[in-house]
Amino acid sequence: MAPAMAIQSIVDEQETEYQKGVKQLYEKGIKKLPRKYILPSHERPNITSNNDGGIKQNIQLPVIDFAELQGPNRAQVLKSLANACENYGFFQVVNHNIGDGVISDMIDVGTRFFGLPFEERSKYMSANMKAPVRYGTSFNQNKDNVFCWRDFLKLMCQPLPDVLPHWPSSPQDFRKSAATYAKDTKHLFVMLMEAILESLSPAPETAAFPTADEKELMEGGSQLMVVNCYPPCPEPDLTLGMPPHSDYGFLTLLLQDDVAGLQIQHNDKWVTVDPIPNAFVVNVGDHLEIFSNGRYKSVLHRVLTNQSRNRISVASLHSLPFEYTVRPWPKLISEQNPQRYRDTDFATFLQYISSCEPKRKNFLESRKIC
């Protein structure tokens, strides 16, 4: 074999290994981070440096007590919710009525799924972004020039009776635990959106929230559940579990285990969100920023890795039905507050991420009216 062909063969073999994911690399006991995962110096997290707002700079996100939201203090909690969406783009929800057992079961089956042999996990690999279940690695492995230290399992959740038979049948209790979790988080999303609509309305005392049509849209809306696995990384200073990005939907409900890793950009610094046991980290997505005509902010966030502990998280991304057009809420548009975003839909988003490497808030920026 000619030298050039031999080198290309080695490169192709390495690329095939990278496509199998980071769990494979970790299990092989690698001591050095492969070049495929090493970020340019200006994009690295600088965990040991305080200059980049690394892991030593933590943030206490606003906490929304869901029980208080349903009680006589609702008006005050709505003000706190509006402040969180405007100034942080993130908040944590406690006392949300999703049982501790439902939460622990979801983390448990997610952990055990990633503990399965690669041959079992790889059954769900697919390049089809509309597949009801998709196993993969990195952020967008078909477009990423530098890979992220992350494997994932993506589960379409709507309509649940149709997609459930496609979900992993191993571990044996995966479907039951994940379906219960999906239904409970969908209900929580609908309840939170009712509060968000009320907090956004210019005259909340004059209308019921939501209207029948709005509630039907939310209840029948899209839901994508993503189980993320971040194995211990040999050189966490050189890479990220996920790059800076915003989420495309209305709200994302994130469940973390007890290992910190999520960072948000706040006041131009990267700060780490400490996990609160059994709480949900909720963030404003691009669609909610568009719907609020820019009042509520979709904020950049990223994920750090670490050398010693495996980290599991479950993100539940919610929006309106895939075929529905998202636009600024007409109640918020006036001569003094003109429309600031173009109408958009899921097909536009898919076309965008299929044609370029998604970075930061580029998709949302592309929808702004200059």
Side-chain angles (χ1 to χ4, degrees):
M1 184 182 293
M5 292 178 63
I7 292 172
Q8 186 60 48
S9 177
I10 293 172
V11 170
D12 291 345
E13 186 177 326
Q14 288 177 335
E15 190 64 31
T16 300
E17 284 300 303
Y18 300 148
Q19 292 290 339
K20 291 180 179 179
V22 293
K23 192 79 163 49
Q24 286 282 98
L25 296 176
Y26 168 70
E27 289 171 349
K28 287 184 176 181
I30 63 168
K31 303 299 182 187
K32 297 287 289 182
L33 195 67
R35 183 177 299 178
K36 182 72 174 177
Y37 297 86
I38 298 178
L39 289 165
S41 57
H42 67 282
E43 295 181 14
R44 296 174 191 170
N46 298 323
I47 294 171
T48 56
S49 168
N50 286 328
N51 295 331
D52 189 46
I55 201 166
K56 293 180 180 177
Q57 294 193 6
N58 294 10
I59 187 171
Q60 288 189 330
L61 292 177
V63 174
I64 301 300
D65 188 323
F66 190 74
E68 288 285 306
L69 189 60
Q70 306 307 308
N73 294 330
R74 183 176 179 86
Q76 186 58 47
V77 179
L78 287 174
K79 290 180 182 178
S80 299
L81 181 63
N83 174 67
C85 292
E86 288 178 15
N87 298 310
Y88 293 83
F90 275 79
F91 54 92
Q92 300 217 48
V93 178
V94 298
N95 296 327
H96 41 64
N97 291 333
I98 297 181
D100 293 354
V102 173
I103 288 173
S104 61
D105 285 352
M106 188 63 235
I107 292 291
D108 178 58
V109 294
T111 302
R112 284 189 282 125
F113 173 83
F114 286 103
L116 295 172
F118 173 74
E119 291 71 25
E120 181 68 26
R121 287 178 275 135
S122 66
K123 292 178 183 178
Y124 305 100
M125 281 185 161
S126 174
N128 179 10
M129 303 205 48
K130 294 182 179 180
V133 56
R134 189 158 63 94
Y135 176 75
T137 191
S138 192
F139 186 61
N140 183 350
Q141 67 197 87
N142 298 319
K143 295 290 181 181
D144 294 342
N145 293 318
V146 178
F147 271 19
C148 300
W149 193 260
R150 166 221 190 200
D151 292 343
F152 63 78
L153 179 69
K154 295 188 176 182
L155 303 165
M156 293 287 189
C157 301
Q158 292 290 112
L160 194 56
D162 294 347
V163 297
L164 191 57
H166 298 277
W167 287 10
S169 55
S170 184
Q172 190 173 4
D173 52 344
F174 184 93
R175 289 180 184 174
K176 180 181 178 181
S177 295
T180 299
Y181 180 84
K183 287 185 282 190
D184 285 358
T185 51
K186 182 58 174 281
H187 178 70
L188 180 58
F189 160 72
V190 172
M191 298 292 284
L192 286 173
M193 279 304 303
E194 288 183 14
I196 283 172
L197 285 175
E198 190 172 347
S199 72
L200 274 172
S201 177
E205 68 281 355
T206 63
F209 292 95
T211 65
D213 288 345
E214 289 165 347
K215 187 161 187 175
E216 184 178 353
L217 276 175
M218 290 185 291
E219 290 177 342
S222 64
Q223 180 181 8
L224 174 67
M225 200 153 70
V226 187
V227 189
N228 300 297
C229 177
Y230 306 96
C233 177
E235 296 179 282
D237 273 356
L238 303 181
T239 192
L240 285 166
M242 288 188 76
H245 67 284
S246 60
D247 295 342
Y248 76 86
F250 261 74
L251 289 179
T252 297
L253 279 61
L254 179 73
L255 174 65
Q256 304 185 85
D257 61 13
D258 61 343
V259 183
L262 173 66
Q263 288 195 317
I264 72 169
Q265 195 169 66
H266 183 65
N267 295 333
D268 297 322
K269 291 183 180 294
W270 286 109
V271 289
T272 300
V273 176
D274 283 333
I276 296 176
N278 293 343
F280 285 94
V281 178
V282 181
N283 65 280
V284 172
D286 294 348
H287 285 177
L288 182 49
E289 180 167 331
I290 291 170
F291 183 82
S292 71
N293 204 34
R295 179 177 166 187
Y296 289 174
K297 304 301 182 187
S298 175
V299 170
L300 285 175
H301 50 288
R302 68 182 188 181
V303 177
L304 300 180
T305 63
N306 73 84
Q307 278 186 303
S308 59
R309 298 188 64 187
N310 189 71
R311 180 174 181 265
I312 294 288
S313 70
V314 185
S316 189
L317 293 88
H318 298 265
S319 194
L320 301 182
F322 285 136
E323 69 277 7
Y324 193 82
T325 299
V326 178
R327 57 175 58 92
W329 199 15
K331 292 180 181 180
L332 303 179
I333 304 303
S334 65
E335 187 175 342
Q336 294 74 31
N337 187 33
Q339 181 172 340
R340 295 188 171 96
Y341 298 83
R342 297 181 180 88
D343 295 357
T344 192
D345 55 22
F346 187 65
T348 305
F349 174 73
L350 281 185
Q351 183 180 14
Y352 183 88
I353 65 172
S354 298
S355 62
C356 62
E357 183 179 1
K359 292 182 177 179
R360 305 184 76 82
K361 293 176 65 173
N362 288 2
F363 174 70
L364 184 61
E365 294 298 323
S366 74
R367 309 315 299 162
K368 286 184 177 179
I369 298 173
C370 297

